[in-house]
Amino acid sequence: MIIQGIGVSKGIAISKIIKLKSESLTVTSEKIVDIEKEIAKFREAVNSVIIELQAIRDLTVKEIDEKHAKIFDAYIEFADDPEISGEVEELIRNEKYNCAYALNVVEKSYLKMFKSMEDGYLKERVVDFKDVIKKITSSILGFSTISLKELKTKVIIVANDLSPSDAAQLNKSKVEGIITNVGSKTSHIAIMARSLKIPAIVGAKNITNIVHDGDMVLFDGFDGKIIVSPSEEDIETYKHKRQEQIKFDKIIDTFSEKESYTLDKKLVELASNIGGPEDLSNAIKSSADGVGLYRTEFLYMNKTNFPTEEEQFRDYKIVLQNMKNKKVIIRTLDIGGDKTLSYLKMDKEVNPFLGHRAIRLCLDNIPLFKTQLRALLKASIYGNLSIMFPMISTIDELRQAKEILNECKKELQNEGVKVSHEVKVGMMIELPSSAILADQFAKEVDFFSIGTNDLIQYSFAADRTNEKVAYLYQPLNPVILRLIKMVVEAGHKEGIWVGVCGEAASVQETAAIYLGLGIDEFSMNSSSILTIKFLFSKLKYSDMVEISNECLNKSTESQVEKIISAYLKKIYY
Ligand code: PEP
Ligand code: MG
């Protein structure tokens, strides 16, 4: 049987499965007599959960990185919240409730409060909150929560969903793969599986109802295809495929020190997308030519209040210094859409992706915008900085943003602060409006970086977080190819370079076609750089120009896919 999910972490997994049952804990109400004993029992459970969470946090730092470990700070905050504990203890004292029941009552009232909140970020934290309460309840009732650390044999884990704490506890050497019913490419488990290099598929609908413990399953985390009870032949084919992947990874490692040239000697720039200084080591390890996209919103999202000018300056300076004069493109705040800040009151919008997002929000919050621009300009003397504005839809927005940047420059100079004169200013092309008017925009910036994630979402009017319209994510559709071609031609005519920093830059088929359309720079997650470098080393730029031009005149994405897949097969085998 074949089930199609969403491949979120590449690699082939072949193994028996175990289903992770998210048993719901039954909590009953009992009247207690010894109040102090019950309170002590509750406090002991809370303490043990805090210790467990600290251990998971430490493990995450060791196995993944500091950024992912931060998820558990929020967990610990909930477990350690004096208000929650206070309310539970009050119920034990006044109502003589047993502690598990008192906690259950408090949980319900908090859930009600969360539900009535408008803030999207806080709403998302409900999952974390419930996970923490479940841990404390389990500890009171004497259950241990799922012990993923103690898996004895290699398995594929199948679950409805996995929480970040479940994921962090995975014993990497025992987990062949992960499949969940729900999730998207950007869900926590997807991000963590990629970081842990565990093959994973999410959105496999009701797989938990289809498979049973001990069933043999194989899947490819690249294409999202799951085979339940595979034949001997399937197993052999996939084992072979896995060997090929391992061989491939060894080969591409040898490309780490080389520049990215095509067979016919065209030099292509390959840069890293980063979310902060914590991603620098991977960018440097992958020998990136620079940072093509620094998404600064993480600096804001990991805080309980706006980061100060000084805090921002510190992070930007670290990145610029470590990249040692290589190009570093720092994008100004892109909040809104699916990214919210717990401490910024944002009106509820019916269509947040079409709403008050990114540059629109910054132009409406000048002090917020200026703080970031000042921090960037102050840091500019420490490296090779480019500032990039997101979601620009009109020339007026671009001009306003540039004017505010100039104001900041003047202010700093008047204050006697040194600012580099070499700072470049660019914009994301991620809306059809800016792509179509690229010839005009090109006169006013130093570079373009095409954000395919949004350009595709807005071209096809398909919410990028909605699984039901995921089929409209078509980076090879001639619609997108034509838009890219227009942008490249407009940019080159004005003598500026054009990059791509959306996910499509890291996928072999799209990178090859976009190269043929004339893209100068590809920016992607660091782990994909060597694969793309290897790909470019195998193909001829002149071939890609010819093929891409042919594809511009096709009518569907599948026609383009067929053409490029055939070419890639030819150069690889
Ligand atoms: C994009 O839209 O392609 C992009 C790179 O920006 P983000 O994914 O951060 O919206
Ligand atoms: Mg975008």
Side-chain angles (χ1 to χ4, degrees):
M1 177 193 282
I2 292 177
I3 300 168
Q4 189 64 46
I6 304 167
V8 291
S9 179
K10 66 176 186 187
I12 286 167
I14 309 170
S15 190
K16 291 193 170 162
I17 66 113
I18 79 164
K19 277 204 279 184
L20 222 56
K21 293 154 205 84
S22 51
E23 14 32 288
S24 51
L25 303 165
T26 319
V27 176
T28 49
S29 153
E30 292 154 28
K31 287 279 174 214
I32 49 108
V33 266
D34 192 340
I35 291 174
E36 293 314 317
K37 195 172 152 201
E38 199 62 16
I39 288 178
K41 187 174 166 186
F42 172 65
R43 287 185 184 166
E44 199 181 306
V46 169
N47 283 337
S48 75
V49 168
I50 292 174
I51 292 168
E52 186 193 337
L53 288 169
Q54 298 276 19
I56 298 175
R57 195 194 185 287
D58 294 346
L59 186 73
T60 312
V61 174
K62 208 169 110 216
E63 296 277 325
I64 311 178
D65 58 28
E66 182 67 33
K67 190 172 103 194
H68 290 85
K70 279 190 181 144
I71 298 169
F72 300 105
D73 289 339
Y75 271 54
I76 293 167
E77 243 174 69
F78 275 133
D80 206 16
D81 189 321
E83 244 175 75
I84 299 176
S85 299
E87 285 178 39
V88 173
E89 291 182 18
E90 217 173 279
L91 285 174
I92 299 172
R93 266 184 218 291
N94 299 343
E95 307 293 331
K96 299 202 169 38
Y97 285 161
N98 52 321
C99 59
Y101 186 70
L103 181 62
N104 189 259
V105 172
V106 172
E107 179 186 15
K108 280 187 184 141
S109 81
Y110 271 76
L111 288 179
K112 220 186 247 171
M113 184 183 78
F114 276 127
K115 215 171 165 187
S116 66
M117 277 180 177
E118 287 190 351
D119 189 305
Y121 173 75
L122 280 179
K123 270 192 166 166
E124 274 170 27
R125 292 191 62 194
V126 171
V127 181
D128 303 348
F129 172 74
K130 279 163 97 174
D131 203 22
V132 171
I133 299 295
K134 190 172 167 194
K135 276 185 188 299
I136 301 173
T137 312
S138 304
S139 173
I140 294 170
L141 299 178
F143 289 112
S144 62
T145 33
I146 20 167
S147 199
L148 293 172
K149 281 179 290 199
E150 282 147 34
L151 291 169
K152 295 283 184 295
T153 52
K154 282 210 159 199
V155 289
I156 290 174
I157 293 178
V158 176
N160 180 48
D161 195 7
L162 283 180
S163 70
S165 68
D166 295 336
Q169 291 181 80
L170 294 175
N171 178 344
K172 239 184 355 182
S173 63
K174 292 284 182 280
V175 179
E176 275 269 304
I178 297 167
I179 309 175
T180 60
N181 285 347
V182 299
S184 71
K185 283 206 163 147
T186 52
S187 53
H188 273 136
I189 185 63
I191 293 165
M192 292 184 96
R194 279 197 292 274
S195 304
L196 288 163
K197 296 197 165 66
I198 296 175
I201 291 180
V202 302
K205 283 144 207 129
N206 59 345
I207 184 151
T208 47
N209 291 336
I210 297 168
V211 294
H212 304 281
D213 279 349
D215 280 355
M216 190 70 185
V217 162
L218 72 75
F219 72 80
D220 184 344
F222 181 71
D223 60 17
K225 190 166 123 183
I226 304 161
I227 306 182
V228 181
S229 307
S231 64
E232 279 303 316
E233 204 185 326
D234 287 332
I235 295 178
E236 279 317 304
T237 311
Y238 275 75
K239 273 189 179 161
H240 177 71
K241 218 169 152 186
R242 183 160 61 183
Q243 282 313 111
E244 291 295 308
Q245 271 182 4
I246 294 168
K247 254 197 262 168
F248 180 70
D249 285 347
K250 280 202 181 120
I251 295 170
I252 62 170
D253 267 351
T254 63
F255 276 71
S256 66
E257 299 301 323
K258 299 177 186 162
E259 288 186 297
S260 179
Y261 278 104
T262 62
L263 260 188
D264 49 353
K265 297 281 168 275
K266 178 168 173 70
L267 182 63
V268 191
E269 211 174 310
L270 302 185
S272 273
N273 288 354
I274 66 167
E278 63 277 8
D279 293 336
L280 273 173
S281 61
N282 282 339
I284 293 165
K285 248 190 263 160
S286 68
S287 67
D289 294 320
V291 169
L293 170 65
Y294 176 171
R295 290 181 163 101
T296 56
E297 42 280 6
F298 295 111
L299 176 60
Y300 292 72
M301 285 161 80
N302 291 334
K303 292 235 162 341
T304 48
N305 211 333
F306 289 109
T308 61
E309 186 177 309
E310 191 54 33
E311 280 171 323
Q312 296 194 46
F313 164 73
R314 222 181 304 139
D315 275 15
Y316 304 153
K317 178 179 163 189
I318 293 173
V319 173
L320 285 161
Q321 279 181 325
N322 278 281
M323 290 311 291
K324 300 199 167 49
N325 244 14
K326 285 182 177 171
K327 184 184 71 189
V328 173
I329 301 178
I330 306 188
R331 181 175 75 181
T332 59
L333 184 61
D334 180 3
I335 216 73
D338 61 341
K339 299 177 204 150
T340 53
L341 300 178
S342 58
Y343 49 87
L344 175 65
K345 174 107 186 68
M346 291 163 87
D347 292 335
K348 198 171 164 52
E349 295 177 299
V350 180
N351 289 310
F353 271 117
L354 304 182
H356 205 218
R357 185 187 161 190
I359 200 72
R360 304 169 180 185
L361 187 142
C362 286
L363 292 175
D364 263 353
N365 288 277
I366 304 289
L368 164 79
F369 194 30
K370 273 189 153 181
T371 304
Q372 180 169 41
L373 295 176
R374 283 174 59 95
L376 283 167
L377 290 168
K378 269 185 174 174
S380 65
I381 55 167
Y382 295 96
N384 178 359
L385 172 69
S386 298
I387 296 176
M388 176 158 73
F389 300 122
M391 281 279 291
I392 295 283
S393 53
T394 67
I395 292 276
D396 286 341
E397 280 172 351
L398 175 65
R399 288 184 185 157
Q400 271 184 61
K402 282 175 66 180
E403 204 176 299
I404 297 166
L405 179 65
N406 278 335
E407 255 173 52
C408 291
K409 230 183 249 175
K410 275 188 209 133
E411 276 173 24
L412 286 168
Q413 277 158 355
N414 290 341
E415 290 166 27
V417 178
K418 251 173 103 183
V419 171
S420 165
H421 296 295
E422 308 292 322
V423 179
K424 301 271 187 294
V425 178
M427 62 180 273
M428 303 260 321
I429 298 276
E430 48 187 350
L431 302 175
S433 67
S434 58
I436 292 166
L437 206 68
D439 58 330
Q440 298 306 315
F441 280 108
K443 298 183 206 300
E444 315 209 7
V445 286
D446 298 312
F447 64 90
F448 284 150
S449 187
I450 302 176
T452 46
N453 306 339
D454 279 317
L455 185 62
I456 297 167
Q457 135 163 289
Y458 294 123
S459 296
F460 290 97
D463 182 340
R464 64 195 258 192
T465 62
N466 184 342
E467 286 162 35
K468 293 202 182 98
V469 291
Y471 74 98
L472 287 169
Y473 175 76
Q474 297 194 4
L476 285 175
N477 190 299
V479 168
I480 301 303
L481 305 189
R482 287 185 190 193
L483 286 173
I484 292 178
K485 182 77 180 168
M486 277 174 71
V487 175
V488 168
E489 281 179 351
H492 288 177
K493 192 159 167 245
E494 292 298 329
I496 67 170
W497 63 264
V498 181
V500 171
C501 62
E503 289 303 306
S506 63
V507 176
Q508 301 201 42
E509 287 76 4
T510 35
I513 290 285
Y514 294 178
L515 178 72
L517 294 174
I519 290 294
D520 306 291
E521 179 245 28
F522 292 79
S523 190
M524 62 200 83
N525 57 60
S526 300
S527 60
S528 300
I529 288 185
L530 291 182
T531 309
I532 298 300
K533 204 184 277 190
F534 178 70
L535 164 75
F536 287 172
S537 77
K538 292 273 179 198
L539 55 74
K540 274 195 179 157
Y541 173 64
S542 56
D543 286 347
M544 290 327 304
V545 172
E546 208 175 292
I547 290 175
S548 301
N549 279 330
E550 180 193 344
C551 293
L552 285 170
N553 292 316
K554 295 292 168 203
S555 50
T556 65
E557 178 174 62
S558 56
Q559 288 174 314
V560 176
E561 269 168 357
K562 233 182 243 158
I563 294 171
I564 185 60
S565 299
Y567 180 80
L568 295 191
K569 223 179 224 160
K570 208 169 74 193
I571 60 167
Y572 276 146
Y573 303 107

